[in-house]
Amino acid sequence: SAKNVLGERNIAFLHGPEHKALRKSFIALFTRKALGVYVRKQDQIIRDHIAAWMSRDGGAAREIRPDICKMNQYTSQDVFAGPYLDDPEERKKFTAAYTAMTDAFLAFPLCVPGTRVWKGRQGRLFIIEVLTRAAKRSKARMAAGEQPECLLDFWSQQVLLEIKEAEEQGLPAPFYAADDKMADSVMDFLFASQDASTASLTWTVTLMAEHPDIFARVREEQER
Protein backbone atom coordinates (compact mmCIF):
# COMPACT_ATOMS: atom_id res chain seq x y z
CA SER A 1 0.00 0.00 0.00
CA ALA A 2 2.88 2.40 0.67
CA LYS A 3 3.62 3.13 -3.00
CA ASN A 4 -0.07 3.52 -3.78
CA VAL A 5 -0.55 5.96 -0.91
CA LEU A 6 2.74 7.88 -1.01
CA GLY A 7 3.58 7.53 -4.70
CA GLU A 8 6.59 5.87 -6.33
CA ARG A 9 8.54 9.15 -6.41
CA ASN A 10 8.38 9.50 -2.64
CA ILE A 11 11.60 10.11 -0.72
CA ALA A 12 10.97 6.87 1.17
CA PHE A 13 11.76 4.99 -2.03
CA LEU A 14 14.78 7.03 -3.16
CA HIS A 15 18.26 5.59 -2.87
CA GLY A 16 21.84 6.51 -3.65
CA PRO A 17 23.00 9.91 -5.01
CA GLU A 18 19.47 11.26 -5.57
CA HIS A 19 18.46 10.58 -1.98
CA LYS A 20 21.70 12.11 -0.70
CA ALA A 21 21.33 15.25 -2.86
CA LEU A 22 17.74 15.79 -1.74
CA ARG A 23 18.59 15.46 1.93
CA LYS A 24 21.51 17.86 1.51
CA SER A 25 19.12 20.44 0.05
CA PHE A 26 16.96 20.12 3.17
CA ILE A 27 19.74 21.54 5.38
CA ALA A 28 18.57 25.06 4.52
CA LEU A 29 15.19 24.29 6.10
CA PHE A 30 16.62 23.96 9.60
CA THR A 31 18.77 27.04 10.13
CA ARG A 32 18.25 29.18 13.25
CA LYS A 33 16.34 31.73 11.18
CA ALA A 34 14.04 29.08 9.70
CA LEU A 35 13.41 27.40 13.04
CA GLY A 36 12.61 30.80 14.56
CA VAL A 37 9.89 31.34 11.95
CA TYR A 38 8.42 27.89 12.60
CA VAL A 39 8.42 28.24 16.39
CA ARG A 40 6.65 31.61 16.32
CA LYS A 41 3.92 30.16 14.13
CA GLN A 42 3.56 27.05 16.29
CA ASP A 43 3.40 29.03 19.51
CA GLN A 44 0.58 31.29 18.31
CA ILE A 45 -1.45 28.43 16.80
CA ILE A 46 -1.14 26.33 19.96
CA ARG A 47 -2.16 29.25 22.18
CA ASP A 48 -5.19 29.98 19.99
CA HIS A 49 -6.33 26.35 20.01
CA ILE A 50 -5.92 25.91 23.77
CA ALA A 51 -7.87 29.13 24.39
CA ALA A 52 -10.66 27.80 22.17
CA TRP A 53 -10.69 24.45 24.01
CA MET A 54 -10.92 26.11 27.41
CA SER A 55 -13.79 28.38 26.37
CA ARG A 56 -15.88 25.52 24.99
CA ASP A 57 -18.42 23.50 26.99
CA GLY A 58 -17.62 25.45 30.13
CA GLY A 59 -14.31 23.64 30.49
CA ALA A 60 -16.06 20.27 30.91
CA ALA A 61 -13.98 17.11 30.54
CA ARG A 62 -13.94 15.53 27.08
CA GLU A 63 -11.76 13.38 24.85
CA ILE A 64 -8.77 15.51 23.86
CA ARG A 65 -7.25 13.50 21.00
CA PRO A 66 -9.56 14.86 18.22
CA ASP A 67 -8.76 18.42 19.31
CA ILE A 68 -5.03 17.74 19.37
CA CYS A 69 -5.21 16.05 15.97
CA LYS A 70 -6.88 19.12 14.44
CA MET A 71 -4.39 21.45 16.12
CA ASN A 72 -1.48 19.36 14.90
CA GLN A 73 -2.81 19.30 11.34
CA TYR A 74 -3.29 23.05 11.32
CA THR A 75 0.14 23.68 12.84
CA SER A 76 1.89 21.44 10.31
CA GLN A 77 0.07 22.96 7.37
CA ASP A 78 0.83 26.51 8.51
CA VAL A 79 4.50 25.84 9.23
CA PHE A 80 5.19 23.93 6.04
CA ALA A 81 3.01 25.71 3.46
CA GLY A 82 0.77 28.16 5.33
CA PRO A 83 0.62 31.21 3.04
CA TYR A 84 -0.33 29.02 0.09
CA LEU A 85 -3.20 27.17 1.76
CA ASP A 86 -5.24 30.34 1.68
CA ASP A 87 -8.51 28.97 0.32
CA PRO A 88 -10.59 27.82 3.35
CA GLU A 89 -12.61 25.25 1.37
CA GLU A 90 -9.53 23.85 -0.33
CA ARG A 91 -7.81 23.62 3.04
CA LYS A 92 -10.70 21.56 4.42
CA LYS A 93 -10.37 19.15 1.49
CA PHE A 94 -6.60 19.12 2.00
CA THR A 95 -7.00 18.07 5.64
CA ALA A 96 -9.56 15.41 4.71
CA ALA A 97 -7.16 14.07 2.07
CA TYR A 98 -4.45 13.64 4.70
CA THR A 99 -6.85 11.80 6.96
CA ALA A 100 -7.67 9.49 4.03
CA MET A 101 -3.94 8.82 3.51
CA THR A 102 -3.48 7.94 7.18
CA ASP A 103 -6.51 5.64 7.14
CA ALA A 104 -5.16 3.91 4.02
CA PHE A 105 -2.05 2.73 5.88
CA LEU A 106 -4.25 0.90 8.36
CA ALA A 107 -6.42 -0.75 5.74
CA PHE A 108 -6.33 -4.02 3.81
CA PRO A 109 -3.82 -3.46 0.94
CA LEU A 110 -6.27 -3.46 -1.95
CA CYS A 111 -6.32 -0.45 -4.27
CA VAL A 112 -9.56 -0.52 -6.23
CA PRO A 113 -12.26 2.19 -6.34
CA GLY A 114 -14.08 2.49 -3.03
CA THR A 115 -11.39 0.94 -0.80
CA ARG A 116 -9.55 2.96 1.82
CA VAL A 117 -6.26 2.50 -0.03
CA TRP A 118 -7.83 3.90 -3.20
CA LYS A 119 -9.24 6.86 -1.22
CA GLY A 120 -5.80 7.42 0.27
CA ARG A 121 -4.25 7.41 -3.20
CA GLN A 122 -6.85 9.91 -4.43
CA GLY A 123 -6.11 12.05 -1.38
CA ARG A 124 -2.43 12.05 -2.24
CA LEU A 125 -3.13 13.12 -5.83
CA PHE A 126 -5.21 16.06 -4.58
CA ILE A 127 -2.53 17.08 -2.09
CA ILE A 128 0.19 16.98 -4.76
CA GLU A 129 -1.96 19.14 -7.02
CA VAL A 130 -2.38 21.77 -4.27
CA LEU A 131 1.28 21.69 -3.23
CA THR A 132 2.51 21.90 -6.83
CA ARG A 133 0.67 25.20 -7.20
CA ALA A 134 2.05 26.24 -3.81
CA ALA A 135 5.63 25.52 -4.90
CA LYS A 136 5.18 27.62 -8.02
CA ARG A 137 3.80 30.55 -5.99
CA SER A 138 6.54 30.20 -3.39
CA LYS A 139 9.31 30.28 -6.00
CA ALA A 140 7.78 33.41 -7.52
CA ARG A 141 7.66 35.16 -4.13
CA MET A 142 11.21 34.18 -3.20
CA ALA A 143 12.52 35.19 -6.65
CA ALA A 144 10.92 38.60 -6.06
CA GLY A 145 12.90 38.98 -2.84
CA GLU A 146 10.06 38.56 -0.36
CA GLN A 147 10.71 37.17 3.11
CA PRO A 148 10.14 33.44 3.74
CA GLU A 149 7.07 32.63 5.83
CA CYS A 150 7.13 28.83 5.89
CA LEU A 151 9.29 25.77 5.24
CA LEU A 152 8.35 25.74 1.54
CA ASP A 153 9.65 29.31 1.19
CA PHE A 154 12.99 28.46 2.77
CA TRP A 155 13.32 25.51 0.43
CA SER A 156 12.33 27.61 -2.58
CA GLN A 157 15.16 30.00 -1.73
CA GLN A 158 17.60 27.10 -1.61
CA VAL A 159 16.29 25.50 -4.81
CA LEU A 160 16.49 28.77 -6.73
CA LEU A 161 20.09 29.13 -5.57
CA GLU A 162 20.89 25.58 -6.69
CA ILE A 163 19.25 26.18 -10.08
CA LYS A 164 21.38 29.29 -10.58
CA GLU A 165 24.56 27.45 -9.59
CA ALA A 166 23.73 24.60 -11.99
CA GLU A 167 23.14 27.04 -14.85
CA GLU A 168 26.47 28.75 -14.19
CA GLN A 169 28.22 25.36 -14.39
CA GLY A 170 26.32 24.28 -17.48
CA LEU A 171 24.55 21.52 -15.57
CA PRO A 172 20.87 20.56 -15.45
CA ALA A 173 18.79 21.76 -12.53
CA PRO A 174 18.49 19.36 -9.57
CA PHE A 175 15.86 16.68 -10.17
CA TYR A 176 13.85 17.90 -7.17
CA ALA A 177 13.66 21.51 -8.41
CA ALA A 178 10.47 20.96 -10.43
CA ASP A 179 7.28 22.15 -8.73
CA ASP A 180 5.72 18.68 -8.58
CA LYS A 181 8.91 17.15 -7.15
CA MET A 182 8.98 19.80 -4.43
CA ALA A 183 5.33 19.03 -3.75
CA ASP A 184 6.23 15.38 -3.19
CA SER A 185 8.77 16.25 -0.52
CA VAL A 186 6.60 18.82 1.27
CA MET A 187 3.84 16.20 1.34
CA ASP A 188 6.30 13.92 3.13
CA PHE A 189 7.03 16.55 5.77
CA LEU A 190 3.32 17.03 6.35
CA PHE A 191 2.50 13.35 6.43
CA ALA A 192 5.37 12.47 8.75
CA SER A 193 4.29 15.13 11.23
CA GLN A 194 0.74 13.87 11.77
CA ASP A 195 -0.07 10.62 13.53
CA ALA A 196 2.99 10.07 15.74
CA SER A 197 3.01 13.70 16.86
CA THR A 198 -0.69 13.61 17.66
CA ALA A 199 -0.21 10.47 19.78
CA SER A 200 2.79 11.99 21.59
CA LEU A 201 0.97 15.24 22.34
CA THR A 202 -2.15 13.39 23.51
CA TRP A 203 -0.11 11.34 25.97
CA THR A 204 1.77 14.44 27.14
CA VAL A 205 -1.47 16.30 27.89
CA THR A 206 -2.96 13.21 29.56
CA LEU A 207 0.08 12.66 31.79
CA MET A 208 0.19 16.34 32.77
CA ALA A 209 -3.48 16.15 33.77
CA GLU A 210 -2.84 13.00 35.84
CA HIS A 211 0.23 14.45 37.57
CA PRO A 212 -0.54 18.07 38.54
CA ASP A 213 2.69 18.35 40.54
CA ILE A 214 4.77 17.68 37.43
CA PHE A 215 2.50 19.93 35.39
CA ALA A 216 3.16 22.75 37.87
CA ARG A 217 6.91 22.26 37.50
CA VAL A 218 6.66 22.29 33.70
CA ARG A 219 4.60 25.49 33.77
CA GLU A 220 7.02 27.16 36.17
CA GLU A 221 9.92 26.27 33.89
CA GLN A 222 8.14 27.69 30.83
CA GLU A 223 7.27 30.95 32.58
CA ARG A 224 10.82 31.74 33.71
Side-chain angles (χ1 to χ4, degrees):
S1 296
K3 287 189 177 181
N4 277 317
V5 178
L6 296 176
E8 294 188 359
R9 301 179 304 178
N10 192 272
I11 188 175
F13 311 120
L14 285 179
H15 302 284
E18 284 193 342
H19 185 264
K20 184 177 180 180
L22 180 58
R23 292 182 69 88
K24 182 179 179 181
S25 185
F26 289 160
I27 293 173
L29 312 184
F30 303 103
T31 62
R32 290 176 67 89
K33 179 180 179 181
L35 293 173
V37 170
Y38 309 156
V39 168
R40 284 192 295 274
K41 281 180 173 287
Q42 288 174 314
D43 182 71
Q44 189 58 57
I45 292 168
I46 291 168
R47 289 175 184 273
D48 290 345
H49 276 76
I50 291 176
W53 300 345
M54 298 302 293
S55 65
R56 200 170 68 212
D57 304 326
R62 65 181 180 278
E63 184 182 357
I64 196 67
R65 191 184 188 284
D67 290 329
I68 289 178
C69 183
K70 289 178 183 177
M71 179 188 74
N72 195 35
Q73 289 175 336
Y74 194 93
T75 302
S76 299
Q77 291 170 14
D78 228 44
V79 166
F80 297 141
Y84 310 107
L85 301 176
D86 47 5
D87 181 329
E89 288 305 311
E90 185 173 74
R91 188 160 183 164
K92 286 181 183 177
K93 293 178 182 177
F94 192 92
T95 299
Y98 259 100
T99 300
M101 287 180 66
T102 301
D103 290 345
F105 269 94
L106 305 175
F108 184 79
L110 177 64
C111 188
V112 296
T115 64
R116 287 203 288 175
V117 173
W118 182 82
K119 291 176 181 178
R121 180 179 180 276
Q122 296 304 110
R124 187 250 303 171
L125 294 175
F126 175 75
I127 287 165
I128 291 298
E129 178 186 328
V130 173
L131 292 178
T132 297
R133 294 197 302 269
K136 183 175 182 178
R137 291 172 62 191
S138 177
K139 283 178 180 171
R141 286 187 64 249
M142 295 305 99
E146 296 189 38
Q147 289 298 308
E149 297 181 25
C150 62
L151 179 144
L152 179 56
D153 284 344
F154 282 104
W155 196 25
S156 289
Q157 282 188 331
Q158 177 65 20
V159 166
L160 290 171
L161 178 62
E162 292 178 23
I163 292 173
K164 181 180 178 182
E165 290 175 348
E167 289 175 348
E168 291 172 349
Q169 297 173 33
L171 299 172
F175 75 94
Y176 48 79
D179 296 341
D180 61 333
K181 298 292 197 304
M182 292 182 70
D184 262 326
S185 292
V186 175
M187 181 193 71
D188 276 348
F189 279 113
L190 282 160
F191 190 76
S193 69
Q194 296 303 313
D195 216 40
S197 296
T198 295
S200 298
L201 287 168
T202 300
W203 273 108
T204 298
V205 171
T206 300
L207 290 170
M208 291 298 98
E210 292 177 350
H211 300 278
D213 56 324
I214 296 177
F215 174 61
R217 288 162 56 191
V218 171
R219 169 173 280 183
E220 188 273 331
E221 180 182 289
Q222 294 301 308
E223 291 179 344
R224 284 179 195 166

